[in-house]
Amino acid sequence: MTSDQSTAAGVPESEIAPRVRAVYGPEDLSSVPAFAGGFINFGYWEGVPLDRPLTDEDRVRSERGLYRRVLRTLPGRGSAVEVGCGLGLGSALALEEFGFGSVTGVDIHPEQLERARRANRSLLERSPERLRFVPGAASRLPFPDGEFDALFSVEAAQHFPDLAAFARESARVLRPGGRLAVTSFFLPEGGEGRAEALAERLESFADGLDVAHPLGTLVSALAEAGLAEVSAESIGAQVWPGYDHFLASAGLPVAWPRNFLGAYRDGLLDYYVVTARRPALC
């Protein structure tokens, strides 16, 4: 997308997968107790004691912890963009804790953007030049080339239908020397062809909310888009056991979310932090 195309343009409803539209629209996943705090991620539980019942405060700590685990890989200066920002709480955390001059949150879902503006009203009023939320798809980001020093995406890539397009757009909007960090759950190496097994265990894969992307698809796409130093680190041991321990006492209306831990232990999926850099100009 060129610089003369407006960031105010919304994403056509036909481009939003039906389950994504429902879950992040009228169903409002951020209101579900399993995602207490509104960050809508499974959490990074390192440092949270798992030998006792977990509280909502522990849950929020884990969700913030996942953002911090990702943001520590980035430069913490200049401008940053979050792809799939949801309620924008992670974008605000990046702005307030990590020293970025500005942060832009992008989301495909208009209702999520409305919630983000409400949730961050005070910060938006205090620093309108430093924080903004705009509509956009991961495969077609509404920014000019080389707009950002950093790009991050936290537990959103499992919804992206086209990782190659996301990789190309990420490379395009990063400045030379800019860095990328993506965290989400993927099929591990050797797990290709196990999408059917995941769908049998996990409703979110069966109904199309989550896409069973192999990790290698994203890693290869980033490299093919021209990014360098592409690296993937498993953090599943710090994600799945803690999340399942929290769910054990969360009073879930359905049982299937507790199958994530078993799927991880059986090698069907894992959780990763993927990082890369756009090469500097010679």
Side-chain angles (χ1 to χ4, degrees):
M1 182 169 289
T2 59
S3 59
D4 61 348
Q5 290 178 284
S6 172
T7 61
V11 178
E13 187 172 298
S14 60
E15 294 188 19
I16 306 175
R19 281 303 294 155
V20 171
R21 189 185 315 127
V23 167
Y24 295 102
E27 295 179 18
D28 187 9
L29 190 60
S30 66
S31 68
V32 175
F35 292 101
F39 284 86
I40 319 181
N41 66 59
F42 289 161
Y44 184 77
W45 296 85
E46 187 174 75
V48 179
L50 301 183
D51 58 353
R52 56 168 173 77
L54 297 174
T55 65
D56 284 352
E57 289 74 19
D58 293 321
R59 183 71 181 96
V60 175
R61 177 182 172 187
S62 78
E63 292 173 295
R64 288 179 174 272
L66 186 61
Y67 268 95
R68 290 171 177 140
R69 174 64 180 80
V70 169
L71 291 166
R72 285 198 297 268
T73 71
L74 298 175
R77 62 180 183 276
S79 60
V81 59
E82 179 180 10
V83 181
C85 67
L87 270 66
L89 302 182
S91 295
L93 186 151
L95 185 68
E96 295 184 300
E97 292 191 16
F98 284 83
F100 291 106
S102 65
V103 176
T104 298
V106 180
D107 203 277
I108 197 171
H109 205 299
E111 291 184 60
Q112 289 292 76
L113 292 169
E114 291 175 8
R115 294 180 185 121
R117 294 180 183 115
R118 289 197 300 269
N120 297 280
R121 181 178 292 112
S122 178
L123 184 55
L124 287 167
E125 290 174 351
R126 293 198 313 271
S127 302
E129 74 288 353
R130 298 186 64 211
L131 181 66
R132 61 174 175 158
F133 298 105
V134 302
S139 59
R140 195 173 64 255
L141 295 173
F143 309 109
D145 297 353
E147 178 81 357
F148 300 102
D149 298 290
L151 180 149
F152 63 100
S153 182
V154 174
E155 205 167 299
Q158 76 278 4
H159 301 316
F160 300 166
D162 189 342
L163 290 182
F166 166 63
R168 291 192 297 270
E169 283 292 274
S170 297
R172 182 184 66 77
V173 303
L174 281 172
R175 291 175 183 145
R179 299 197 68 87
L180 166 148
V182 174
T183 193
S184 191
F185 45 97
F186 300 92
L187 303 182
E189 289 188 19
E192 296 82 353
R194 300 182 183 177
E196 184 175 340
L198 274 178
E200 291 174 355
R201 297 194 189 194
L202 296 163
E203 185 177 309
S204 59
F205 287 95
D207 66 14
L209 176 64
D210 296 327
V211 181
H213 291 303
L215 174 66
T217 300
L218 177 60
V219 170
S220 297
L222 293 171
E224 290 169 4
L227 297 180
E229 300 172 16
V230 182
S231 176
E233 178 183 355
S234 167
I235 60 168
Q238 291 79 41
V239 173
W240 304 116
Y243 179 65
D244 187 74
H245 188 44
F246 177 78
L247 291 183
S249 57
L252 292 176
V254 293
W256 69 263
R258 297 204 62 193
N259 292 338
F260 275 101
L261 179 59
Y264 162 64
R265 288 175 171 168
D266 290 344
L268 298 179
L269 83 168
D270 199 354
Y271 210 106
Y272 297 91
V273 175
V274 180
T275 56
R277 179 181 61 84
R278 180 177 175 184
L281 297 175
C282 298

